[in-house]
Structure formats: structure tokens, C-alpha cells
């Protein structure tokens, strides 16, 4: 800093002179301005009060906007997580349908379905954590709904009706159970989306 | 009740649990039930302590495996008795605990 001042001493002095000139001119202007008359009873604390009032008046809308933007960003983040969960659920549903449609299920298909279920669990853990943070108690009923439906979904997809050496194709009844459970899960996701519109 | 024994499934049994019964495939719930779960559970009941089941370290639990082990135990000894002597741990996936408790409370019958 000192090095900088030494290097630019001419400019520093010039700026100083200009600032003193501006201050002096402003003083003269205010003193001689016909519209501004200073009240001799005017105290310095009154000036602070005015400045604080102006600052508050300017900051309130700014803070309101800031908190609204912040709330929207958090909501967007939660909605993104709901989307990720829904997308993975759809992928699982589509994959199950394609295996059903193919008319045969291999051991690797069975392992693949198990992997899909595990990934859905992972998505559930993340989603439930941020929903609890965002909506507190309001989300509890929906999280429990989602969990119970997901457990039911896992039971269908990895049950003995699928996960046995004797099973070489998905039975239509098992597929129908999957469709029904997938529908329940989708409805719960819609309810979660609706809940988030209140925040 | 105090925890005096534990089963770490990934270490004591297998990292890749499989089907329900032995005839259905590898690493079945039935083998886990006969070789580990049932003997340790009976000991916990007899000595009146808690048996901790560590569910971490395994990629995933098919419901067939859970049904062939915890479900079978629940059918034989009732859900209340099983939950009285078993407790679970899963730091990675807490939903696994809910899944197993759900199976214990609503065991899937063999004939299903």
C-alpha cells in the first residue's frame, strides 16, 4: 500500500485536492441554497434517525426479495430430488415391463432388478432427508406413504415370484402387482409435489 | 435388554444374499436362518439379551432372502418375540431396517 502511494504520489495529492474542493463547494452550495434552511435545533441524532429510516426502507424490500429467492432455490432443489426419484422409478418400471414383455427372465435380469431396487432405496434416503428438512412435520405422512409403498414395491420385484431358479418368466399376475404398486408410488410423488407448492 | 451378540451379515454370511430357500438359489435366506439366525436367536431368548443384526456391507437384500430368514423366524416365534430379541443397524440404508421389520410384522407365507 505504502509502495503504491509512493509510486503514485502526484495522483494521490491531486485526488486529495479535488476531494477538498468538492467538499468546500458542497458546503457553500448547501449554505447558500435558498430552499434548504437548517433548523438551529437540528441535532446530529436526528440525522442518524433519518439515515437509518432510509436504510431500513431500502433494505426491507431487498431482504424480502432475498428470502423469496432463497426459498425458491431450496424448493427447486427439493423438486429436482423428487424428479430424480420419479425418473428412477420410471426406469425401473420400464425395465420390468420390457423383461415381462420379452417372455423370459435371466439370472442377470434378476440381479439387475435387485440393483434397481437398491438404487431406489438410495434415492429414497436422500429425498426423505431433504423433505424432512424442508417441510418438517408436514412431510412425515408423505414420507411414510412413500416408504410403505416402496417396501411393497421391493417385495414384489425381488420376491420368490421373481428371485428363484425355477422362475424363467414374469407371471402376468406379478406384473399386474407391479403396475398397481407403481401407480401408488406415482400418486404419492404427486402429493409430495403438491405439498411443495405450499412452500 | 443388553446387546450381547451380533451378526454382521456381510462378514458372517455373505455380501450377496440370494433367494428364499436353498433350492431357489445361492446364499439363500434358508441357509442363513438355519446356520446363523436361528441358533443365535434361540440363545438370545434363553439368556435374555439382544442380538444385533448389522445390515451394512451388503449391496442389497432381495425380499426373498428376508422372507426366508426373518420372515420364517417371525412365522415360527411371532413378530413380537422376534422384535423383542433382535435389533438392527444400518448406517448406510436405514430403510433396510424398516423393510426387515415390515417382513417380521407381515411375514410372507411359504405357500404364497
Amino acid at each position: 500500500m505504502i509502495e503504491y502511494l509512493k509510486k503514485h504520489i502526484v495522483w494521490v495529492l491531486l485526488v486529495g485536492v479535488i476531494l477538498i474542493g468538492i467538499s468546500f463547494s458542497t458546503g457553500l452550495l448547501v449554505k447558500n441554497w435558498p430552499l434548504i434552511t437548517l433548523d438551529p435545533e437540528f441535532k446530529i441524532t436526528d440525522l442518524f434517525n433519518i439515515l437509518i429510516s432510509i436504510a431500513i426502507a431500502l433494505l426491507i424490500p431487498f431482504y424480502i426479495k432475498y428470502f423469496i429467492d432463497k426459498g425458491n432455490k431450496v424448493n427447486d432443489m427439493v423438486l429436482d430430488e423428487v424428479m430424480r426419484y420419479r425418473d428412477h422409478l420410471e426406469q425401473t418400471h420400464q425395465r420390468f415391463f420390457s423383461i415381462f414383455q420379452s417372455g423370459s427372465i435371466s439370472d442377470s435380469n434378476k440381479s439387475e432388478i435387485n440393483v434397481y431396487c437398491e438404487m431406489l432405496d438410495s434415492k429414497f434416503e436422500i429425498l426423505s432427508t431433504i423433505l424432512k428438512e424442508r417441510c418438517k412435520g408436514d412431510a412425515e405422512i408423505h414420507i411414510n406413504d412413500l416408504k410403505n409403498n416402496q417396501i411393497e414395491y421391493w417385495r414384489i420385484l425381488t420376491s420368490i415370484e421373481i428371485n428363484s431358479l425355477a422362475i424363467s418368466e414374469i407371471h402376468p399376475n406379478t406384473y399386474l402387482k407391479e403396475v398397481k404398486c407403481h401407480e401408488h408410488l406415482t400418486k404419492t410423488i404427486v402429493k409430495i409435489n403438491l405439498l411443495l407448492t405450499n412452500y | 435388554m443388553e446387546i450381547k451378540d451380533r451378526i454382521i451379515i456381510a462378514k458372517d454370511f455373505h455380501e450377496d444374499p440370494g433367494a428364499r430357500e436353498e433350492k431357489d438359489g445361492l446364499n439363500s435366506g434358508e441357509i442363513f436362518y438355519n446356520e446363523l439366525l436361528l441358533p443365535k436367536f434361540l440363545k438370545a431368548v434363553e439368556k435374555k439379551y439382544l442380538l444385533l443384526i448389522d445390515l451394512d456391507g451388503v449391496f442389497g437384500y432381495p425380499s426373498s432372502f428376508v422372507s426366508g430368514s426373518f420372515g420364517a423366524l417371525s412365522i415360527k416365534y411371532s413378530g413380537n418375540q422376534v422384535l423383542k430379541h433382535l435389533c438392527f443397524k444400518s448406517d448406510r440404508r436405514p430403510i433396510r431396517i424398516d423393510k426387515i421389520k415390515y417382513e417380521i410384522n407381515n411375514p410372507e407365507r411359504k405357500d404364497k
Side-chain angles (χ1 to χ4, degrees):
Chain A
M1 182 71 181
I2 292 166
E3 282 301 308
Y4 178 86
L5 289 175
K6 277 181 187 169
K7 229 179 197 176
H8 301 92
I9 188 72
V10 179
W11 286 108
V12 171
L13 287 174
L14 192 66
V15 169
V17 170
I18 291 169
L19 282 177
I20 291 167
I22 291 172
S23 312
F24 189 70
S25 319
T26 312
L28 277 177
L29 190 73
V30 169
K31 194 184 168 193
N32 298 313
W33 192 261
L35 293 176
I36 302 172
T37 49
L38 288 176
D39 183 352
E41 296 294 311
F42 191 80
K43 292 174 190 159
I44 193 73
T45 50
D46 294 336
L47 180 67
F48 282 127
N49 281 342
I50 291 168
L51 290 176
I52 289 168
S53 304
I54 291 169
I56 290 171
L58 290 173
L59 286 175
I60 285 173
F62 172 76
Y63 272 110
I64 290 172
K65 189 179 178 306
Y66 170 77
F67 284 116
I68 289 172
D69 287 350
K70 196 180 167 192
N72 285 343
K73 273 182 196 163
V74 175
N75 247 16
D76 286 349
M77 199 187 85
V78 182
L79 282 168
D80 281 350
E81 217 46 66
V82 177
M83 289 293 187
R84 277 190 206 108
Y85 180 91
R86 201 204 60 188
D87 288 350
H88 185 71
L89 176 68
E90 287 313 306
Q91 278 175 27
T92 311
H93 178 61
Q94 291 301 328
R95 187 69 190 116
F96 195 75
F97 174 66
S98 67
I99 297 171
F100 167 69
Q101 216 178 18
S102 74
S104 72
I105 182 166
S106 64
D107 285 348
S108 71
N109 291 149
K110 292 169 191 174
S111 301
E112 192 187 345
I113 292 169
N114 196 31
V115 170
Y116 271 102
C117 285
E118 181 62 17
M119 283 167 75
L120 200 62
D121 281 356
S122 154
K123 300 267 181 290
F124 171 82
E125 302 289 4
I126 298 166
L127 180 60
S128 62
T129 305
I130 61 168
L131 270 177
K132 276 179 202 162
E133 276 296 315
R134 180 66 179 143
C135 311
K136 310 283 177 202
D138 294 347
E140 202 67 40
I141 189 168
H142 298 299
I143 293 170
N144 282 336
D145 257 8
L146 194 67
K147 185 165 70 185
N148 291 337
N149 284 322
Q150 189 170 316
I151 290 174
E152 203 49 56
Y153 198 61
W154 160 78
R155 275 184 124 192
I156 295 163
L157 262 60
T158 63
S159 74
I160 203 67
E161 291 170 18
I162 301 288
N163 205 19
S164 165
L165 288 173
I167 302 292
S168 58
E169 63 179 314
I170 297 172
H171 193 277
N173 286 345
T174 311
Y175 178 65
L176 283 177
K177 281 187 206 168
E178 190 272 346
V179 169
K180 211 172 164 185
C181 199
H182 169 264
E183 196 183 311
H184 288 147
L185 274 164
T186 309
K187 278 181 187 167
T188 311
I189 294 166
V190 171
K191 284 180 191 166
I192 290 171
N193 273 327
L194 285 173
L195 171 77
L196 286 168
T197 56
N198 296 330
Y199 284 85
Chain B
M1 262 189 287
E2 208 182 325
I3 298 170
K4 287 190 179 168
D5 198 3
R6 69 179 61 210
I7 298 174
I8 303 170
I9 296 183
K11 202 172 129 217
D12 301 336
F13 183 65
H14 208 279
E15 287 174 351
D16 188 19
R20 183 155 77 180
E21 291 168 39
E22 213 174 336
K23 65 176 171 60
D24 296 321
L26 293 169
N27 314 321
S28 66
E30 188 182 23
I31 298 178
F32 173 69
Y33 172 81
N34 286 326
E35 292 181 1
L36 272 169
L37 187 61
L38 183 63
K40 289 204 176 218
F41 171 77
L42 290 176
K43 208 172 163 192
V45 173
E46 190 196 334
K47 308 267 183 195
K48 295 188 175 68
Y49 62 76
L50 273 171
L51 169 63
L52 175 73
I53 312 286
D54 190 330
L55 302 166
D56 284 331
V58 167
F59 187 74
Y61 289 90
S63 67
S64 52
F65 175 86
V66 176
S67 164
S69 51
F70 297 99
L73 194 67
S74 168
I75 289 167
K76 196 164 183 187
Y77 295 97
S78 90
N80 285 341
Q81 175 77 339
V82 171
L83 289 174
K84 198 177 157 190
H85 289 278
L86 293 190
C87 61
F88 302 92
K89 175 185 170 285
S90 180
D91 299 330
R92 210 174 131 241
R93 293 265 184 281
I95 194 174
R96 284 179 182 169
I97 299 173
D98 295 299
K99 283 175 170 180
I100 291 174
K101 283 186 175 171
Y102 187 90
E103 183 62 45
I104 290 170
N105 287 320
N106 312 278
E108 201 174 10
R109 304 276 158 182
K110 215 175 174 182
D111 53 341
K112 228 179 160 183

